[in-house]
Amino acid sequence: MDEMSAFPEDVKVGGELVLKLDKSTVSGNITSILWKHGKNKVAEWDKDFGNLEIYGAFINRTTLDSTTGELRISGLKKTDSGVYSVEFNSKLLDKTYKLSVIEAVPKPTITSSCKPDKTSCTLTCEGDTTDAEPVTYSWKEGGRAWEVLDKQINVNKSDTGKSTNSYKYICKMNNTVSVEVSEPVREVFGPEAFPKPTITSSCNANKTSCTLTCEGDTTDAERVTYSWKVGEGAWEVIGKQLTISKSDTGKSTNSYKYMCKMKNSAGEGEVSEPFGEVFGPEPSNIGAVFGVVCLFVAALVSLIVWLVWKKIKGYPQDTWIDILRKYCGGMCAKGSAGVQPEQGVTVPLTANTKTGEDGADKAGEGHGNGAGGLPGGVNEDQKHGV
């Protein structure tokens, strides 16, 4: 009665058990078969009576083949665990069958518990293993091989040199009837904070439309939310890329600035530097302005040179009207008609190139004895015989 069979001793709940009679220990024809679970009858057949009996909790889920003596039990329960024996032709055979019905392990999940400073965490392979023991726990870290460990493992931030332990952790539960693997877990210490983003642009050939991209290393920092601020507008969650057209502002440079920022569960990151002149610099009027400035400087220099020349030539008392008359020609004289010289200012003598008369003679004509002339056009020097 101490000899055990070689069939699997552990079967999961809900499974099926098949017990086969060892005919090598039996001689002659089969006339009766009785299977027992401990001291309780399971199934019985007797040739003389010609009928099959199934007992107790095994009814409706047990069959017995009277030709081979094979017993089949389906829908196994925890209570089906124990030792099975068989009587063949009213003789109890030595071989017995030990059965253990256990639950299959559940699909595990990984939970973590970390120190306040997030430098060390404990990972636990969780799952209800009631009636599934004994259970073996294995862990896989990143690309490493599976390793049988305990239900819990400790990991440190320094294990990978990254605060997130960028490789994944997976745990596995198994017992003699089943095996289940958890979903991968990463970011054990929380998501990685990301650096200050930068904005890059890509425009079509004619510079009428551009795509702005909020760039930044988001490795181990996903999931990331991207927000944009256009000009003085409010921040708006859009996406990593923002497409804009020259017509958006009516200016080729989009004079207002663009900024972006990134955010994840670790918090909000820094804001990018403002980005302007998206479509390139505005066409300028520098050439025209330069020309005007040059003309102004030339005119100023000419005026200074002329004033110096005038001083050297001895015309310090001329009024601006006299100057215009002498150096601008007839057009300036016409423009200043009706404007008289200031009283007491001596008008220099100038020759009339057309008539040969000097200016004083002209000035004397039509004035008689009035101020500024003498009778007969005689000047003051002539009067005194000079």
Side-chain angles (χ1 to χ4, degrees):
M1 284 289 295
D2 294 331
E3 185 180 353
M4 298 292 179
S5 70
F7 81 101
E9 296 181 354
D10 294 336
V11 181
K12 67 180 179 180
V13 172
E16 184 178 76
L17 171 67
V18 178
L19 300 177
K20 295 182 178 182
L21 183 63
D22 184 4
K23 285 188 175 184
S24 64
T25 60
V26 179
S27 60
N29 296 325
I30 299 176
T31 58
S32 65
I33 303 173
L34 173 62
W35 283 96
K36 288 184 177 181
H37 175 223
K39 294 181 180 181
N40 300 317
K41 290 183 178 182
V42 176
E44 183 176 18
W45 175 80
D46 191 294
K47 182 178 179 181
D48 294 335
F49 293 99
N51 63 334
L52 173 66
E53 286 287 340
I54 305 297
Y55 297 95
F58 297 96
I59 296 175
N60 297 327
R61 58 190 184 98
T62 303
T63 61
L64 175 61
D65 188 330
S66 60
T67 303
T68 62
E70 179 183 278
L71 181 72
R72 185 180 298 267
I73 304 172
S74 61
L76 289 173
K77 305 174 183 179
K78 282 288 294 180
T79 54
D80 294 335
S81 298
V83 177
Y84 289 80
S85 60
V86 60
E87 292 182 11
F88 182 74
N89 291 343
S90 300
K91 178 184 178 182
L92 181 62
L93 301 184
D94 293 334
K95 181 178 287 187
T96 59
Y97 307 82
K98 185 178 180 180
L99 173 68
S100 177
V101 180
I102 61 176
E103 292 281 356
V105 295
K107 184 180 179 70
T109 57
I110 298 176
T111 60
S112 64
S113 176
C114 301
K115 291 182 177 180
D117 60 0
K118 294 281 188 177
T119 58
S120 176
C121 293
T122 298
L123 305 184
T124 304
C125 193
E126 299 280 7
D128 183 5
T129 57
T130 303
D131 298 327
E133 298 291 351
V135 174
T136 301
Y137 297 89
S138 302
W139 291 85
K140 180 178 176 65
E141 301 180 19
R144 300 177 185 176
W146 284 101
E147 186 178 0
V148 176
L149 299 170
D150 294 328
K151 183 176 181 178
Q152 293 183 327
I153 62 171
N154 292 318
V155 293
N156 297 312
K157 185 179 290 188
S158 58
D159 290 344
T160 62
K162 293 187 176 182
S163 64
T164 59
N165 278 298
S166 59
Y167 49 66
K168 299 173 183 177
Y169 292 85
I170 310 172
C171 79
K172 177 171 64 177
M173 287 183 182
N174 69 278
N175 61 11
T176 54
V177 299
S178 62
V179 57
E180 291 287 347
V181 178
S182 73
E183 293 295 328
V185 169
R186 61 186 299 174
E187 296 184 352
V188 174
F189 300 95
E192 184 83 3
F194 26 69
K196 184 175 183 177
T198 57
I199 297 176
T200 59
S201 67
S202 175
C203 301
N204 58 9
N206 56 4
K207 293 281 187 176
T208 58
S209 178
C210 294
T211 298
L212 305 184
T213 303
C214 193
E215 301 281 7
D217 183 9
T218 58
T219 303
D220 304 326
E222 301 290 353
R223 309 173 187 169
V224 177
T225 300
Y226 296 87
S227 300
W228 290 85
K229 180 178 175 66
V230 181
E232 298 301 321
W235 284 100
E236 185 177 0
V237 176
I238 297 176
K240 185 175 183 177
Q241 292 185 323
L242 173 68
T243 300
I244 56 175
S245 300
K246 184 181 291 188
S247 58
D248 291 344
T249 62
K251 293 186 178 182
S252 65
T253 59
N254 277 297
S255 59
Y256 46 63
K257 301 294 192 296
Y258 295 83
M259 292 185 289
C260 76
K261 64 182 177 180
M262 297 184 285
K263 180 181 180 181
N264 64 4
S265 57
E268 191 168 270
E270 295 184 68
V271 177
S272 70
E273 292 296 328
F275 188 85
E277 295 190 348
V278 175
F279 300 96
E282 184 80 13
S284 65
N285 296 320
I286 294 177
V289 173
F290 181 74
V292 171
V293 171
C294 287
L295 287 174
F296 176 77
V297 171
L300 182 61
V301 171
S302 298
L303 179 60
I304 293 172
V305 170
W306 179 78
L307 290 174
V308 172
W309 176 83
K310 175 176 168 291
K311 182 74 173 177
I312 295 173
K313 292 295 184 179
Y315 299 108
Q317 301 301 321
D318 285 356
T319 65
W320 67 275
I321 294 175
D322 298 323
I323 294 169
L324 290 175
R325 283 174 176 170
K326 286 186 287 185
Y327 297 102
C328 293
M331 288 191 300
C332 293
K334 289 178 182 179
S336 58
V339 181
Q340 300 299 323
E342 295 179 9
Q343 296 297 322
V345 177
T346 301
V347 179
L349 298 179
T350 57
N352 189 320
T353 58
K354 291 184 179 180
T355 63
E357 298 172 341
D358 59 89
D361 293 336
K362 272 289 185 185
E365 291 179 1
H367 290 284
N369 297 323
L374 293 175
V378 179
N379 61 27
E380 194 69 30
D381 291 336
Q382 292 172 334
K383 179 179 177 183
H384 296 285
V386 178

PDB file of all heavy atoms in Angstrom, residues 254-284:
ATOM      1  N   ASN A 254       5.905  87.500 -38.006  1.00  0.00           N
ATOM      2  CA  ASN A 254       5.117  87.194 -36.813  1.00  0.00           C
ATOM      3  C   ASN A 254       5.758  87.916 -35.634  1.00  0.00           C
ATOM      4  O   ASN A 254       6.468  87.326 -34.827  1.00  0.00           O
ATOM      5  CB  ASN A 254       5.060  85.691 -36.528  1.00  0.00           C
ATOM      6  CG  ASN A 254       3.990  85.008 -37.341  1.00  0.00           C
ATOM      7  OD1 ASN A 254       2.813  85.298 -37.200  1.00  0.00           O
ATOM      8  ND2 ASN A 254       4.408  84.128 -38.219  1.00  0.00           N
ATOM      9  N   SER A 255       5.513  89.180 -35.573  1.00  0.00           N
ATOM     10  CA  SER A 255       6.250  90.020 -34.630  1.00  0.00           C
ATOM     11  C   SER A 255       6.101  89.569 -33.184  1.00  0.00           C
ATOM     12  O   SER A 255       6.962  89.817 -32.373  1.00  0.00           O
ATOM     13  CB  SER A 255       5.792  91.470 -34.761  1.00  0.00           C
ATOM     14  OG  SER A 255       4.397  91.574 -34.510  1.00  0.00           O
ATOM     15  N   TYR A 256       4.998  88.921 -32.834  1.00  0.00           N
ATOM     16  CA  TYR A 256       4.931  88.409 -31.477  1.00  0.00           C
ATOM     17  C   TYR A 256       5.687  87.098 -31.352  1.00  0.00           C
ATOM     18  O   TYR A 256       5.959  86.425 -32.331  1.00  0.00           O
ATOM     19  CB  TYR A 256       3.490  88.261 -30.998  1.00  0.00           C
ATOM     20  CG  TYR A 256       2.513  87.609 -31.924  1.00  0.00           C
ATOM     21  CD1 TYR A 256       2.656  86.296 -32.325  1.00  0.00           C
ATOM     22  CD2 TYR A 256       1.404  88.300 -32.386  1.00  0.00           C
ATOM     23  CE1 TYR A 256       1.739  85.685 -33.149  1.00  0.00           C
ATOM     24  CE2 TYR A 256       0.483  87.703 -33.208  1.00  0.00           C
ATOM     25  CZ  TYR A 256       0.642  86.397 -33.592  1.00  0.00           C
ATOM     26  OH  TYR A 256      -0.277  85.796 -34.412  1.00  0.00           O
ATOM     27  N   LYS A 257       6.011  86.718 -30.136  1.00  0.00           N
ATOM     28  CA  LYS A 257       6.905  85.594 -29.871  1.00  0.00           C
ATOM     29  C   LYS A 257       6.114  84.323 -29.553  1.00  0.00           C
ATOM     30  O   LYS A 257       4.967  84.366 -29.136  1.00  0.00           O
ATOM     31  CB  LYS A 257       7.828  85.921 -28.688  1.00  0.00           C
ATOM     32  CG  LYS A 257       8.702  87.144 -28.896  1.00  0.00           C
ATOM     33  CD  LYS A 257       9.720  86.940 -29.987  1.00  0.00           C
ATOM     34  CE  LYS A 257      10.777  88.025 -30.005  1.00  0.00           C
ATOM     35  NZ  LYS A 257      10.234  89.339 -30.308  1.00  0.00           N
ATOM     36  N   TYR A 258       6.796  83.183 -29.734  1.00  0.00           N
ATOM     37  CA  TYR A 258       6.230  81.884 -29.415  1.00  0.00           C
ATOM     38  C   TYR A 258       7.065  81.239 -28.311  1.00  0.00           C
ATOM     39  O   TYR A 258       8.285  81.302 -28.329  1.00  0.00           O
ATOM     40  CB  TYR A 258       6.238  80.975 -30.652  1.00  0.00           C
ATOM     41  CG  TYR A 258       5.347  81.465 -31.768  1.00  0.00           C
ATOM     42  CD1 TYR A 258       5.801  82.424 -32.666  1.00  0.00           C
ATOM     43  CD2 TYR A 258       4.064  80.971 -31.927  1.00  0.00           C
ATOM     44  CE1 TYR A 258       4.986  82.880 -33.696  1.00  0.00           C
ATOM     45  CE2 TYR A 258       3.241  81.421 -32.946  1.00  0.00           C
ATOM     46  CZ  TYR A 258       3.711  82.373 -33.831  1.00  0.00           C
ATOM     47  OH  TYR A 258       2.899  82.822 -34.834  1.00  0.00           O
ATOM     48  N   MET A 259       6.378  80.577 -27.354  1.00  0.00           N
ATOM     49  CA  MET A 259       7.060  79.858 -26.283  1.00  0.00           C
ATOM     50  C   MET A 259       6.357  78.526 -26.057  1.00  0.00           C
ATOM     51  O   MET A 259       5.142  78.405 -26.299  1.00  0.00           O
ATOM     52  CB  MET A 259       7.065  80.674 -24.982  1.00  0.00           C
ATOM     53  CG  MET A 259       7.913  81.927 -25.029  1.00  0.00           C
ATOM     54  SD  MET A 259       8.000  82.776 -23.422  1.00  0.00           S
ATOM     55  CE  MET A 259       6.335  83.424 -23.311  1.00  0.00           C
ATOM     56  N   CYS A 260       7.099  77.532 -25.587  1.00  0.00           N
ATOM     57  CA  CYS A 260       6.508  76.234 -25.283  1.00  0.00           C
ATOM     58  C   CYS A 260       7.019  75.739 -23.934  1.00  0.00           C
ATOM     59  O   CYS A 260       8.055  76.183 -23.441  1.00  0.00           O
ATOM     60  CB  CYS A 260       6.805  75.204 -26.383  1.00  0.00           C
ATOM     61  SG  CYS A 260       8.481  74.530 -26.371  1.00  0.00           S
ATOM     62  N   LYS A 261       6.272  74.800 -23.356  1.00  0.00           N
ATOM     63  CA  LYS A 261       6.700  74.160 -22.113  1.00  0.00           C
ATOM     64  C   LYS A 261       6.148  72.742 -22.079  1.00  0.00           C
ATOM     65  O   LYS A 261       5.167  72.418 -22.755  1.00  0.00           O
ATOM     66  CB  LYS A 261       6.250  74.955 -20.888  1.00  0.00           C
ATOM     67  CG  LYS A 261       4.737  75.056 -20.710  1.00  0.00           C
ATOM     68  CD  LYS A 261       4.399  75.908 -19.487  1.00  0.00           C
ATOM     69  CE  LYS A 261       2.883  76.086 -19.336  1.00  0.00           C
ATOM     70  NZ  LYS A 261       2.543  76.913 -18.166  1.00  0.00           N
ATOM     71  N   MET A 262       6.795  71.888 -21.279  1.00  0.00           N
ATOM     72  CA  MET A 262       6.403  70.486 -21.163  1.00  0.00           C
ATOM     73  C   MET A 262       6.007  70.170 -19.720  1.00  0.00           C
ATOM     74  O   MET A 262       6.520  70.773 -18.790  1.00  0.00           O
ATOM     75  CB  MET A 262       7.544  69.579 -21.626  1.00  0.00           C
ATOM     76  CG  MET A 262       7.921  69.752 -23.089  1.00  0.00           C
ATOM     77  SD  MET A 262       9.192  68.581 -23.663  1.00  0.00           S
ATOM     78  CE  MET A 262      10.657  69.278 -22.912  1.00  0.00           C
ATOM     79  N   LYS A 263       5.131  69.190 -19.595  1.00  0.00           N
ATOM     80  CA  LYS A 263       4.638  68.826 -18.264  1.00  0.00           C
ATOM     81  C   LYS A 263       4.353  67.331 -18.230  1.00  0.00           C
ATOM     82  O   LYS A 263       3.866  66.756 -19.197  1.00  0.00           O
ATOM     83  CB  LYS A 263       3.367  69.627 -17.948  1.00  0.00           C
ATOM     84  CG  LYS A 263       2.752  69.325 -16.589  1.00  0.00           C
ATOM     85  CD  LYS A 263       1.490  70.150 -16.380  1.00  0.00           C
ATOM     86  CE  LYS A 263       0.854  69.864 -15.025  1.00  0.00           C
ATOM     87  NZ  LYS A 263      -0.386  70.640 -14.835  1.00  0.00           N
ATOM     88  N   ASN A 264       4.663  66.688 -17.093  1.00  0.00           N
ATOM     89  CA  ASN A 264       4.251  65.306 -16.868  1.00  0.00           C
ATOM     90  C   ASN A 264       3.870  65.166 -15.398  1.00  0.00           C
ATOM     91  O   ASN A 264       3.751  66.162 -14.679  1.00  0.00           O
ATOM     92  CB  ASN A 264       5.347  64.316 -17.283  1.00  0.00           C
ATOM     93  CG  ASN A 264       6.610  64.447 -16.454  1.00  0.00           C
ATOM     94  OD1 ASN A 264       6.671  65.227 -15.498  1.00  0.00           O
ATOM     95  ND2 ASN A 264       7.639  63.691 -16.815  1.00  0.00           N
ATOM     96  N   SER A 265       3.688  63.923 -14.952  1.00  0.00           N
ATOM     97  CA  SER A 265       3.231  63.714 -13.577  1.00  0.00           C
ATOM     98  C   SER A 265       4.262  64.160 -12.551  1.00  0.00           C
ATOM     99  O   SER A 265       3.937  64.341 -11.378  1.00  0.00           O
ATOM    100  CB  SER A 265       2.883  62.245 -13.357  1.00  0.00           C
ATOM    101  OG  SER A 265       3.993  61.419 -13.651  1.00  0.00           O
ATOM    102  N   ALA A 266       5.522  64.329 -12.986  1.00  0.00           N
ATOM    103  CA  ALA A 266       6.559  64.803 -12.069  1.00  0.00           C
ATOM    104  C   ALA A 266       6.458  66.303 -11.838  1.00  0.00           C
ATOM    105  O   ALA A 266       7.031  66.832 -10.897  1.00  0.00           O
ATOM    106  CB  ALA A 266       7.943  64.456 -12.605  1.00  0.00           C
ATOM    107  N   GLY A 267       5.730  66.974 -12.682  1.00  0.00           N
ATOM    108  CA  GLY A 267       5.571  68.417 -12.537  1.00  0.00           C
ATOM    109  C   GLY A 267       5.744  69.122 -13.864  1.00  0.00           C
ATOM    110  O   GLY A 267       5.888  68.498 -14.924  1.00  0.00           O
ATOM    111  N   GLU A 268       5.734  70.430 -13.786  1.00  0.00           N
ATOM    112  CA  GLU A 268       5.856  71.263 -14.973  1.00  0.00           C
ATOM    113  C   GLU A 268       7.303  71.667 -15.169  1.00  0.00           C
ATOM    114  O   GLU A 268       7.984  72.081 -14.235  1.00  0.00           O
ATOM    115  CB  GLU A 268       4.967  72.497 -14.829  1.00  0.00           C
ATOM    116  CG  GLU A 268       4.797  73.301 -16.107  1.00  0.00           C
ATOM    117  CD  GLU A 268       3.691  74.330 -15.968  1.00  0.00           C
ATOM    118  OE1 GLU A 268       2.540  73.996 -16.270  1.00  0.00           O
ATOM    119  OE2 GLU A 268       3.994  75.455 -15.528  1.00  0.00           O
ATOM    120  N   GLY A 269       7.785  71.518 -16.397  1.00  0.00           N
ATOM    121  CA  GLY A 269       9.159  71.842 -16.697  1.00  0.00           C
ATOM    122  C   GLY A 269       9.357  73.329 -16.958  1.00  0.00           C
ATOM    123  O   GLY A 269       8.446  74.137 -16.827  1.00  0.00           O
ATOM    124  N   GLU A 270      10.584  73.663 -17.344  1.00  0.00           N
ATOM    125  CA  GLU A 270      10.913  75.042 -17.644  1.00  0.00           C
ATOM    126  C   GLU A 270      10.265  75.476 -18.954  1.00  0.00           C
ATOM    127  O   GLU A 270       9.846  74.656 -19.771  1.00  0.00           O
ATOM    128  CB  GLU A 270      12.428  75.205 -17.751  1.00  0.00           C
ATOM    129  CG  GLU A 270      13.180  74.954 -16.456  1.00  0.00           C
ATOM    130  CD  GLU A 270      14.669  75.231 -16.624  1.00  0.00           C
ATOM    131  OE1 GLU A 270      15.026  76.408 -16.805  1.00  0.00           O
ATOM    132  OE2 GLU A 270      15.450  74.272 -16.583  1.00  0.00           O
ATOM    133  N   VAL A 271      10.223  76.789 -19.129  1.00  0.00           N
ATOM    134  CA  VAL A 271       9.658  77.374 -20.342  1.00  0.00           C
ATOM    135  C   VAL A 271      10.792  77.672 -21.317  1.00  0.00           C
ATOM    136  O   VAL A 271      11.871  78.115 -20.922  1.00  0.00           O
ATOM    137  CB  VAL A 271       8.876  78.663 -20.012  1.00  0.00           C
ATOM    138  CG1 VAL A 271       8.348  79.322 -21.281  1.00  0.00           C
ATOM    139  CG2 VAL A 271       7.732  78.349 -19.060  1.00  0.00           C
ATOM    140  N   SER A 272      10.545  77.419 -22.584  1.00  0.00           N
ATOM    141  CA  SER A 272      11.569  77.675 -23.599  1.00  0.00           C
ATOM    142  C   SER A 272      11.821  79.173 -23.736  1.00  0.00           C
ATOM    143  O   SER A 272      11.031  80.005 -23.284  1.00  0.00           O
ATOM    144  CB  SER A 272      11.114  77.126 -24.954  1.00  0.00           C
ATOM    145  OG  SER A 272      10.044  77.907 -25.469  1.00  0.00           O
ATOM    146  N   GLU A 273      12.935  79.502 -24.374  1.00  0.00           N
ATOM    147  CA  GLU A 273      13.189  80.894 -24.709  1.00  0.00           C
ATOM    148  C   GLU A 273      12.204  81.335 -25.790  1.00  0.00           C
ATOM    149  O   GLU A 273      11.789  80.530 -26.613  1.00  0.00           O
ATOM    150  CB  GLU A 273      14.623  81.057 -25.224  1.00  0.00           C
ATOM    151  CG  GLU A 273      15.700  80.819 -24.180  1.00  0.00           C
ATOM    152  CD  GLU A 273      15.653  81.830 -23.047  1.00  0.00           C
ATOM    153  OE1 GLU A 273      15.264  82.991 -23.311  1.00  0.00           O
ATOM    154  OE2 GLU A 273      15.992  81.465 -21.915  1.00  0.00           O
ATOM    155  N   PRO A 274      11.809  82.618 -25.793  1.00  0.00           N
ATOM    156  CA  PRO A 274      10.875  83.090 -26.833  1.00  0.00           C
ATOM    157  C   PRO A 274      11.487  82.897 -28.219  1.00  0.00           C
ATOM    158  O   PRO A 274      12.692  83.053 -28.416  1.00  0.00           O
ATOM    159  CB  PRO A 274      10.692  84.572 -26.503  1.00  0.00           C
ATOM    160  CG  PRO A 274      11.075  84.699 -25.061  1.00  0.00           C
ATOM    161  CD  PRO A 274      12.144  83.680 -24.829  1.00  0.00           C
ATOM    162  N   PHE A 275      10.642  82.564 -29.161  1.00  0.00           N
ATOM    163  CA  PHE A 275      11.081  82.329 -30.534  1.00  0.00           C
ATOM    164  C   PHE A 275      10.310  83.269 -31.450  1.00  0.00           C
ATOM    165  O   PHE A 275       9.081  83.263 -31.481  1.00  0.00           O
ATOM    166  CB  PHE A 275      10.802  80.874 -30.921  1.00  0.00           C
ATOM    167  CG  PHE A 275      11.382  80.448 -32.232  1.00  0.00           C
ATOM    168  CD1 PHE A 275      12.683  80.009 -32.321  1.00  0.00           C
ATOM    169  CD2 PHE A 275      10.613  80.495 -33.386  1.00  0.00           C
ATOM    170  CE1 PHE A 275      13.212  79.609 -33.532  1.00  0.00           C
ATOM    171  CE2 PHE A 275      11.133  80.101 -34.600  1.00  0.00           C
ATOM    172  CZ  PHE A 275      12.436  79.656 -34.678  1.00  0.00           C
ATOM    173  N   GLY A 276      11.040  84.124 -32.184  1.00  0.00           N
ATOM    174  CA  GLY A 276      10.404  85.087 -33.072  1.00  0.00           C
ATOM    175  C   GLY A 276      10.955  85.010 -34.475  1.00  0.00           C
ATOM    176  O   GLY A 276      11.782  84.155 -34.792  1.00  0.00           O
ATOM    177  N   GLU A 277      10.481  85.931 -35.331  1.00  0.00           N
ATOM    178  CA  GLU A 277      10.887  85.981 -36.737  1.00  0.00           C
ATOM    179  C   GLU A 277      10.808  84.594 -37.359  1.00  0.00           C
ATOM    180  O   GLU A 277      11.754  84.086 -37.956  1.00  0.00           O
ATOM    181  CB  GLU A 277      12.288  86.566 -36.892  1.00  0.00           C
ATOM    182  CG  GLU A 277      12.399  88.021 -36.475  1.00  0.00           C
ATOM    183  CD  GLU A 277      13.730  88.636 -36.862  1.00  0.00           C
ATOM    184  OE1 GLU A 277      14.641  87.878 -37.237  1.00  0.00           O
ATOM    185  OE2 GLU A 277      13.852  89.863 -36.789  1.00  0.00           O
ATOM    186  N   VAL A 278       9.635  83.994 -37.206  1.00  0.00           N
ATOM    187  CA  VAL A 278       9.443  82.623 -37.663  1.00  0.00           C
ATOM    188  C   VAL A 278       9.680  82.491 -39.163  1.00  0.00           C
ATOM    189  O   VAL A 278      10.276  81.523 -39.633  1.00  0.00           O
ATOM    190  CB  VAL A 278       8.013  82.159 -37.323  1.00  0.00           C
ATOM    191  CG1 VAL A 278       7.748  80.773 -37.887  1.00  0.00           C
ATOM    192  CG2 VAL A 278       7.811  82.154 -35.817  1.00  0.00           C
ATOM    193  N   PHE A 279       9.231  83.487 -39.922  1.00  0.00           N
ATOM    194  CA  PHE A 279       9.337  83.415 -41.381  1.00  0.00           C
ATOM    195  C   PHE A 279      10.576  84.137 -41.911  1.00  0.00           C
ATOM    196  O   PHE A 279      10.669  84.438 -43.088  1.00  0.00           O
ATOM    197  CB  PHE A 279       8.088  84.012 -42.025  1.00  0.00           C
ATOM    198  CG  PHE A 279       6.836  83.295 -41.621  1.00  0.00           C
ATOM    199  CD1 PHE A 279       6.046  83.770 -40.586  1.00  0.00           C
ATOM    200  CD2 PHE A 279       6.465  82.131 -42.253  1.00  0.00           C
ATOM    201  CE1 PHE A 279       4.897  83.098 -40.205  1.00  0.00           C
ATOM    202  CE2 PHE A 279       5.317  81.452 -41.876  1.00  0.00           C
ATOM    203  CZ  PHE A 279       4.532  81.940 -40.855  1.00  0.00           C
ATOM    204  N   GLY A 280      11.527  84.463 -41.039  1.00  0.00           N
ATOM    205  CA  GLY A 280      12.730  85.163 -41.455  1.00  0.00           C
ATOM    206  C   GLY A 280      12.582  86.645 -41.182  1.00  0.00           C
ATOM    207  O   GLY A 280      11.494  87.156 -40.899  1.00  0.00           O
ATOM    208  N   PRO A 281      13.685  87.409 -41.271  1.00  0.00           N
ATOM    209  CA  PRO A 281      13.638  88.841 -40.967  1.00  0.00           C
ATOM    210  C   PRO A 281      12.781  89.611 -41.960  1.00  0.00           C
ATOM    211  O   PRO A 281      12.656  89.236 -43.122  1.00  0.00           O
ATOM    212  CB  PRO A 281      15.106  89.268 -41.040  1.00  0.00           C
ATOM    213  CG  PRO A 281      15.741  88.248 -41.932  1.00  0.00           C
ATOM    214  CD  PRO A 281      15.019  86.965 -41.664  1.00  0.00           C
ATOM    215  N   GLU A 282      12.162  90.670 -41.461  1.00  0.00           N
ATOM    216  CA  GLU A 282      11.325  91.540 -42.290  1.00  0.00           C
ATOM    217  C   GLU A 282      12.205  92.299 -43.289  1.00  0.00           C
ATOM    218  O   GLU A 282      13.270  92.788 -42.941  1.00  0.00           O
ATOM    219  CB  GLU A 282      10.608  92.544 -41.383  1.00  0.00           C
ATOM    220  CG  GLU A 282       9.629  93.452 -42.087  1.00  0.00           C
ATOM    221  CD  GLU A 282       8.305  92.767 -42.339  1.00  0.00           C
ATOM    222  OE1 GLU A 282       8.076  91.704 -41.751  1.00  0.00           O
ATOM    223  OE2 GLU A 282       7.527  93.300 -43.128  1.00  0.00           O
ATOM    224  N   PRO A 283      11.781  92.408 -44.578  1.00  0.00           N
ATOM    225  CA  PRO A 283      12.543  93.232 -45.534  1.00  0.00           C
ATOM    226  C   PRO A 283      12.686  94.650 -44.999  1.00  0.00           C
ATOM    227  O   PRO A 283      11.722  95.263 -44.566  1.00  0.00           O
ATOM    228  CB  PRO A 283      11.675  93.193 -46.800  1.00  0.00           C
ATOM    229  CG  PRO A 283      10.865  91.953 -46.667  1.00  0.00           C
ATOM    230  CD  PRO A 283      10.610  91.793 -45.190  1.00  0.00           C
ATOM    231  N   SER A 284      13.906  95.213 -45.027  1.00  0.00           N
ATOM    232  CA  SER A 284      14.155  96.512 -44.418  1.00  0.00           C
ATOM    233  C   SER A 284      14.331  97.595 -45.463  1.00  0.00           C
ATOM    234  O   SER A 284      14.560  97.331 -46.639  1.00  0.00           O
ATOM    235  CB  SER A 284      15.413  96.437 -43.536  1.00  0.00           C
ATOM    236  OG  SER A 284      16.545  96.194 -44.343  1.00  0.00           O
TER     237      SER A 284
END
